Amino acid sequence: MIEVSNVINPEFIDAIECREQPYFIKFTQYPGFRVKVNPKGRVSFITYGRIHFGGSPRTITHGTTKDLTIDNALDKHFHCLQLLQKGLDPNLIKKSKSKQFTASMSFFNVAEDFIKDKIAKKEYSYDFANHSSKYLLNNKLKYFHKINISQISEDKIKDWYDQEKTTPAARHNALRLMSSVFSYAGTQNIIEKSFNPTNSIFNSGLSYRPKSKDIQLSLDNELPKFIYQIWDPLNINKVDRLSRNAIYLMLITGIKKSDVLNMKWSQITGNSYILIKKKNYKQMLPITPSIELLLKDIKDHQNKNKHLIGNEYLFFNIKTGKPINNLRKTLVKYSKDLEWVVYPEAIRKTFAKVCDYSSIPREHFYQLLGIKKAYNPYQSFPDNRDDINQLKRSLINVQENIDKAAPMLIPGQLTKITDFIF
């Protein structure tokens, strides 16, 4: 027997009743995600789906309500959907995992695969990959080379950390590489996703943290976590709607924080573009479907709160009516799954990285990031429709690649971040 529910939250789970026969509950908001209720009181989270290239439907059990939170169960569900879409059987991976990876589970082998993966995705430059491999991995992390990655404990890491105290900056960089290797191993089903013994060093405040000007979100690991916190399906973060929209606009456009927070409705030209006036030039931002939905959401928010109508700013403090001036508290909440707190410039650098990955024309790269060049046609002719449409196509391309990083997408159904947050 299968029942359908429009709601899933801790109160709903606690109120589930046992019956004489087992039954299932599926949720309209999350296709394929179900709860199985056994007569003896065991309530389990499961995924029910079919492998992309055919075959019978699979039932993948993630764990009970006592072992997993709803967020953790949904993370496992979305991961299973990704595997099914790739034509992989999650149950078969579970059964064969230990045998399949036995020969390649030493920390050194997994770390080498991680660096190769970064090179293939063009997320590591040749010089940085060479430094990570030859110096950090082969020199600073030699202590762990022959140890099975699943057998590396917090105590082993602390022992190594104490031994490397003479080179704190290099030790810190090696620790960050090690943390990334553990995260990568989790995505490859080599170890459990929650297993990352380096966290004890970071969380204890013992790690040396050099100030970096170039830090940005990694596209395969950190960006999905950041996007998931923006979505926040259970509203755990309790973030103000306008603050969330401001950060989302920064993520999908690369606009500077000051330009976003001081943005006025008068800068918006219909559904065509947003004009940002700089000291010596003008930056033009085409309005894509994602930006259009964001602007609509802000207007809807104002219409539901009549006292907000008429404010000249898009993102403002509801109490004072003045522009929001600090996103720090919100960014701390959105960074809780990361080892560092994301700051506005890191979001901008992440957008720039996705632009490079998307291979858009270089002049579009400069215009989207508001970088002044000797000649920029968009500065002279902001109303030229051909120029606007070309720039818009480039921005849509970049935004589609950002959408692909979202961990909650359902192939063929909900394929954009805006499908979830608006």
Side-chain angles (χ1 to χ4, degrees), residues 88-319:
L88 302 175
D89 186 343
N91 285 331
L92 187 60
I93 290 175
K94 283 183 182 179
K95 293 177 182 179
S96 62
K97 182 171 64 174
S98 59
K99 293 182 180 179
Q100 184 179 358
F101 295 108
T102 298
S104 61
M105 280 184 64
S106 72
F107 174 79
F108 180 77
N109 288 335
V110 177
E112 277 198 323
D113 289 342
F114 165 74
I115 294 173
K116 290 176 182 177
D117 181 69
K118 286 291 187 182
I119 296 173
K121 292 179 178 178
K122 297 182 179 179
E123 293 183 10
Y124 275 8
S125 66
Y126 173 79
D127 289 339
F128 186 74
N130 191 50
H131 171 74
S132 298
S133 178
K134 291 189 175 180
Y135 180 63
L136 297 181
L137 178 59
N138 284 285
N139 186 342
K140 307 307 291 184
L141 293 172
K142 191 174 182 179
Y143 179 95
F144 302 101
H145 279 192
K146 296 182 180 180
I147 303 177
N148 186 300
I149 191 169
S150 63
Q151 300 301 317
I152 296 177
S153 64
E154 293 181 0
D155 290 338
K156 284 187 173 69
I157 293 176
K158 287 178 181 177
D159 288 342
W160 164 80
Y161 199 78
D162 291 338
Q163 291 177 19
E164 298 291 334
K165 60 184 178 182
T166 56
T167 54
R171 176 182 64 176
H172 173 76
N173 291 333
L175 185 66
R176 285 186 58 197
L177 172 63
M178 192 177 192
S179 178
S180 297
V181 171
F182 275 106
S183 297
Y184 168 79
T187 64
Q188 300 300 307
N189 293 311
I190 297 174
I191 57 175
E192 292 296 328
K193 282 189 176 182
S194 59
F195 179 70
N196 194 333
T198 62
N199 288 340
S200 61
I201 301 292
F202 289 112
N203 295 337
S204 65
L206 295 175
S207 63
Y208 167 82
R209 297 206 172 210
K211 188 174 182 180
S212 174
K213 295 182 179 179
D214 298 319
I215 193 168
Q216 53 198 252
L217 292 160
S218 64
L219 302 186
D220 60 337
N221 181 37
E222 294 175 334
L223 181 56
K225 293 178 180 178
F226 187 72
I227 291 173
Y228 184 84
Q229 291 302 326
I230 293 178
W231 176 37
D232 190 19
L234 301 179
N235 195 28
I236 294 174
N237 293 326
K238 307 294 182 185
V239 169
D240 171 70
R241 189 168 172 178
L242 292 177
S243 296
R244 180 204 68 177
N245 286 350
I247 291 174
Y248 178 63
L249 183 61
M250 290 164 57
L251 177 65
I252 65 170
T253 62
I255 299 178
K256 292 182 178 179
K257 183 190 77 171
S258 58
D259 290 331
V260 168
L261 297 186
N262 290 293
M263 189 173 292
K264 298 180 180 180
W265 290 106
S266 58
Q267 296 174 238
I268 301 173
T269 303
N271 291 327
S272 182
Y273 61 85
I274 300 172
L275 196 62
I276 302 171
K277 294 182 179 180
K278 304 289 186 178
K279 186 176 181 180
N280 298 316
Y281 66 101
K282 297 176 181 178
Q283 179 186 357
M284 186 184 69
L285 180 73
I287 296 178
T288 63
S290 293
I291 297 175
E292 190 173 347
L293 285 172
L294 182 143
L295 296 175
K296 181 179 181 299
D297 186 73
I298 296 174
K299 289 181 179 178
D300 290 344
H301 183 54
Q302 290 185 349
N303 291 334
K304 291 177 182 177
N305 299 271
K306 301 298 183 183
H307 64 287
L308 304 180
I309 296 176
N311 196 299
E312 62 178 331
Y313 295 99
L314 275 71
F315 309 102
F316 57 89
N317 186 307
I318 294 177
K319 294 180 180 179

Side-chain angles (χ1 to χ4, degrees), residues 391-407:
L391 187 61
K392 183 176 181 178
R393 282 193 289 271
S394 290
L395 182 55
I396 290 175
N397 183 17
V398 175
Q399 291 176 351
E400 285 177 348
N401 283 322
I402 293 175
D403 283 329
K404 290 175 183 177

